[in-house]
Structure formats: C-alpha cells, structure tokens
Amino acid sequence: MNKNINIQCPICLNSELRYLHTINVSAWAIIGQNLERQEKEFKLHECVHCKHVMCIGDYSEKTFDILYPENFKSVAIKKRPDIYDNIIEYNLSFLQDIPKLLLADFGGGEGDFINKLLTNNFFQKNIQSAIVYEKHPLTKKKNIKFIDLDFNNIKKSGSIISEFNYAFCIHTLEHLINPREFLNFLFKKNKNNFYLYLEVPSNELIDIKNSVTLIYPQHIQYFSLKNLFFLTSSIGFELIKAECEETEGVPRIKCLIRKDNRANISIKEYLNNKDDLRNYITKMVLSGLSQRKISLWGVGNELYEIIKNHEGIKKAIISEDILLIDSKLAGKYLYGTKIYSPKELVGKISKIIITPMELPTIRSIIRDAVRIGFPSEIIVDPYTLYRKEIL
Ligand SMILES: [Zn+2]
C-alpha cells in the first residue's frame, strides 16, 4: 500500500492507493537539429477504499505535449460514428423537451458531434447556440464556435464558459487530472438547471491488467459506473439514467445527469420557505385573476393550502374565475364548481398555474399539457419561478 499524501482519489478523496502496474511511453523530441527519445513512466494505482483506478505520473504541460502530439486524435471514438448516433438517441427525448437549447460540448474535438446535432431534424430548430470547448483545437469547422479551454486548469480558465442548458462530455473526463474539480466547477459556475451527458470508457468492461488498447497514460482515470455515480452525486448532480454497454469494441459508461436547483434544496430550507412559497403562489393567482381567467392544475394538498391562505381564491373558484383542472378528479365538484379534465379546456384558457410541488408530478403535468395541445407559454410552474427568485 502506498500512502501518498499528495495524490487523492478523485472519487472518495482518500489517499491510500495500491500500486497495480507500470506504463512506459516514449516520444521523439526535437532538440536543435537532433531527435532525442524522451521516456516517461506512469504508474497505475487503485484506491484502497473505492477501487477507483488512476494513472499517476508527471502530468506537466511538457508531458502533455508528449502525450498529445499535434496529430493526436481520439481514434477510439472518431472512427465509430455509430456511437454519436447512439448518444443522440439516448438524449433525444430530453433534447426535444427544451425549446431553447444552449449546447456545450466539453472536449468536443473538431466539432464532429456538435455538427451531427446541428443537422438533426428532430430538434435542430430548438438549438440557439452550440459551443465546442477544446484545449488548443486544431481544425475548426466554420459553422461552429470553438473556445480554447484548459480542462486541467479550470479555476483559472473557466471564466470563458458561456451559459448552457445541455452539455456533453464524451470520452473526456478520463483524460483529466482532477475530474471532480472540473465537474464541481460546472455545477457551481452555471447557476441554472442543466443536463450533462457524460461518457467514459468503462473500467468494468475492460480487463485492466491484460488489456493494452485502452490503458495508456492519456487515460488518467478509469471509471466504474458505481464510482462515476458516486462522484457526480456527491457534487450534487441528480442521476437521470446510466448504463454500460460495448459498441464496436468500445466499452462505454453512458450517464445522463442533471443539475436541478430544486432537487438540492434541503428539507429544512424547504420548510422555512414553505409559507413564503404559498404566499408567492397566492399572490401570483390573485394578480393573474385581475387580468383574465386562469386555471389551477392539480386538486390536492397544495391547492387546499392556497385556498386556506386567502379567501379570495375560494370565491374565485365558486364564481369560476378560477377553473380547476385535474385528470383524476375530473367530473367531480368542489364548492359546487366542476373540476375539468385537461382536454375539455384546450383553447379555452390563457393561463395554467401548476399547484403540486413534487418535481416528477410537475414534469409530467407539463408534458401532458403540451401533448394535449396547450401552448407551453401559458403553463406556469410557480415553484421554478420562486426558486429562481430566492436562489
Ligand atoms: Zn477512492
């Protein structure tokens, strides 16, 4: 066992590492007129606690110049366009859900993947911007914006990252000295909610001791699905879905995560804010009433609390200035006023305020509403607006 105080496991932050294997690489360096062979030694280690495998060595700028000569390309992915199609399919329903996509591709190479997204019929009309972040990009496609980003120096160079709401990081994280610092930076730097699709080689699908093809010092981190999940969730990301699979010889961990401000609010904060939140919704309903007929979607606990909060709400329900929508309770009556099914009101109302507070319920209401035919602009999720104001 090697107790190395300088090097921490990026997953569990412990410093007890076990030596596994030595990797030697060499490359020509041109010194004056002469070629000189430069040799470097790297050592694979495994974290004693979480079993994460990492490569330890002199990862200085000079070493990176040796490891990434000008003509270096990520061969494993570039030669397999099927993987890009598969990634788009994996993300498709989430991409389609966002009306104004601000895309970012971290480590997007020459922009091949972004280019593929830009020509996809299913959501290309939704794309507002698309940026490829790459360290010293070489060939730049003309229709794509490239930004030079030093991933291993993210605290210094990260200020150039623009706002995004859907990001990709495909076979990049394993090349970073400190993947935790990078993900943490993205999480904190971007104040909005966003999706992040991560893909890395799967440590579980390659034989770490016998495989030669995927073990080289360019790959500093060797992830398992469990450890990738632990890393992202300990930063605060919410896991949407993840799976391992091999595509044309590439062992892949596919993982879609999300930063969701509401998912990270603690129960204590929530309880402190609950009254404020109800007052906020009550005010929103009352001010909406003065302008037009509105409807409240969801006849449940939250509606009951809002009604208790202000007598004007009950009056407006009785006078049908507020229409109530609920798929399950449709056809029943509250205070003598009919509860509508969503379909009955398509085209007849100009504002829908969602009342349930649970995130999955809110999402499914929005999805149903749009599917049935309500324009998304008239659907108001007061909880998101409220969080935006207080966070
Ligand atoms: Zn560890």
Side-chain angles (χ1 to χ4, degrees):
M1 198 186 296
N2 177 10
K3 181 117 187 169
N4 191 333
I5 50 160
N6 294 318
I7 293 172
Q8 263 187 335
C9 166
I11 307 296
C12 71
L13 304 177
N14 274 295
S15 306
E16 285 169 278
L17 309 171
R18 189 168 67 89
Y19 166 79
L20 290 181
H21 185 69
T22 298
I23 312 168
N24 292 300
V25 286
S26 62
W28 294 116
I30 302 167
I31 297 166
Q33 294 293 325
N34 302 314
L35 290 182
E36 226 170 73
R37 199 70 185 168
Q38 300 217 330
E39 291 190 14
K40 290 273 174 191
E41 194 179 77
F42 298 87
K43 291 186 169 162
L44 275 185
H45 282 74
E46 181 185 65
C47 170
V48 170
H49 297 272
C50 74
K51 307 288 178 218
H52 178 68
V53 174
M54 73 204 88
C55 199
I56 296 174
D58 163 37
Y59 283 109
S60 59
E61 271 307 307
K62 263 191 177 171
T63 307
F64 281 123
D65 287 342
I66 294 175
L67 293 176
Y68 298 95
E70 292 241 318
N71 56 0
F72 178 85
K73 283 182 183 178
S74 178
V75 178
I77 301 307
K78 292 264 162 64
K79 293 216 169 129
R80 292 170 176 86
D82 287 0
I83 289 184
Y84 285 163
D85 289 331
N86 179 273
I87 293 171
I88 292 176
E89 197 190 307
Y90 196 74
N91 286 279
L92 192 60
S93 64
F94 300 92
L95 286 163
Q96 282 173 321
D97 250 11
I98 301 176
K100 286 175 187 166
L101 279 167
L102 309 169
L103 298 173
D105 188 357
F106 293 100
E110 295 168 18
D112 292 314
F113 180 67
I114 283 289
N115 201 38
K116 207 145 205 193
L117 288 177
L118 289 170
T119 53
N120 188 293
N121 291 330
F122 289 104
F123 56 85
Q124 74 185 151
K125 61 180 188 307
N126 296 4
I127 298 177
Q128 270 208 333
S129 70
I131 302 175
V132 172
Y133 294 90
E134 185 56 84
K135 191 181 178 189
H136 311 326
L138 289 174
T139 17
K140 301 176 184 176
K141 287 197 172 56
K142 280 190 183 130
N143 59 334
I144 299 173
K145 185 175 177 187
F146 282 82
I147 291 180
D148 196 336
L149 181 68
D150 184 356
F151 291 79
N152 282 319
N153 213 342
I154 196 71
K155 277 186 185 154
K156 276 193 184 153
S157 58
S159 60
I160 53 175
I161 298 176
S162 310
E163 210 173 283
F164 59 88
N165 55 22
Y166 213 114
F168 294 85
C169 187
I170 301 164
H171 291 262
T172 297
L173 213 57
E174 70 273 20
H175 295 263
L176 305 192
I177 298 170
N178 195 338
R180 175 179 286 278
E181 188 180 64
F182 171 68
L183 292 174
N184 208 8
F185 184 86
L186 290 191
F187 190 89
K188 294 210 167 113
K189 147 101 182 155
N190 192 342
K191 290 204 165 48
N192 303 319
N193 299 338
F194 65 89
Y195 285 92
L196 174 60
Y197 174 78
L198 284 175
E199 181 167 327
V200 291
S202 159
N203 190 5
E204 287 141 314
L205 295 178
I206 53 172
D207 180 348
I208 204 92
K209 289 199 182 78
N210 299 316
S211 168
V212 279
T213 51
L214 281 154
I215 298 172
Y216 43 82
Q218 283 90 342
H219 285 182
I220 305 176
Q221 313 296 341
Y222 297 79
F223 293 99
S224 64
L225 178 55
K226 180 189 107 220
N227 282 342
L228 188 64
F229 170 63
F230 185 80
L231 172 66
T232 56
S233 61
S234 65
I235 289 169
F237 284 104
E238 178 194 357
L239 179 74
I240 308 290
K241 55 176 179 171
E243 62 187 57
C244 291
E245 70 174 43
E246 196 173 310
T247 309
E248 292 185 57
V250 180
R252 311 161 63 200
I253 299 176
K254 300 153 66 174
C255 177
L256 181 62
I257 55 178
R258 174 169 55 193
K259 178 187 174 184
D260 193 312
N261 290 325
R262 272 177 304 179
N264 295 304
I265 195 160
S266 71
I267 289 175
K268 191 162 162 258
E269 273 177 282
Y270 165 74
L271 290 174
N272 284 340
N273 288 328
K274 213 165 178 180
D275 287 342
D276 287 352
L277 207 154
R278 290 212 173 101
N279 291 335
Y280 179 83
I281 299 169
T282 308
K283 231 188 257 171
M284 175 186 275
V285 173
L286 291 171
S287 71
L289 266 181
S290 59
Q291 297 149 22
R292 56 192 162 172
K293 267 197 186 205
I294 59 170
S295 60
L296 297 178
W297 188 317
V299 178
N301 186 44
E302 279 313 310
L303 177 72
Y304 177 69
E305 295 294 336
I306 296 165
I307 290 170
K308 273 205 307 196
N309 216 4
H310 196 285
E311 55 177 14
I313 305 241
K314 185 175 173 180
K315 279 184 190 159
I317 292 173
I318 293 170
S319 66
E320 291 215 18
D321 286 314
I322 292 176
L323 300 178
L324 299 177
I325 303 178
D326 195 294
S327 307
K328 285 189 189 126
L329 295 171
K332 306 273 187 294
Y333 290 80
L334 179 67
Y335 311 129
T337 302
K338 188 187 161 187
I339 298 168
Y340 291 90
S341 79
K343 275 184 189 154
E344 286 176 273
L345 295 180
V346 174
K348 292 177 187 155
I349 42 178
S350 55
K351 190 172 188 177
I352 299 171
I353 297 175
I354 296 171
T355 68
M357 291 180 84
E358 298 77 26
L359 206 49
T361 313
I362 294 172
R363 291 226 168 86
S364 78
I365 288 177
I366 294 174
R367 219 176 301 132
D368 285 351
V370 172
R371 189 172 44 81
I372 292 167
F374 290 106
S376 57
E377 312 85 70
I378 75 163
I379 305 161
V380 180
D381 164 10
Y383 305 100
T384 300
L385 296 175
Y386 175 74
R387 296 276 180 253
K388 269 190 190 151
E389 276 184 28
I390 62 159
L391 287 175

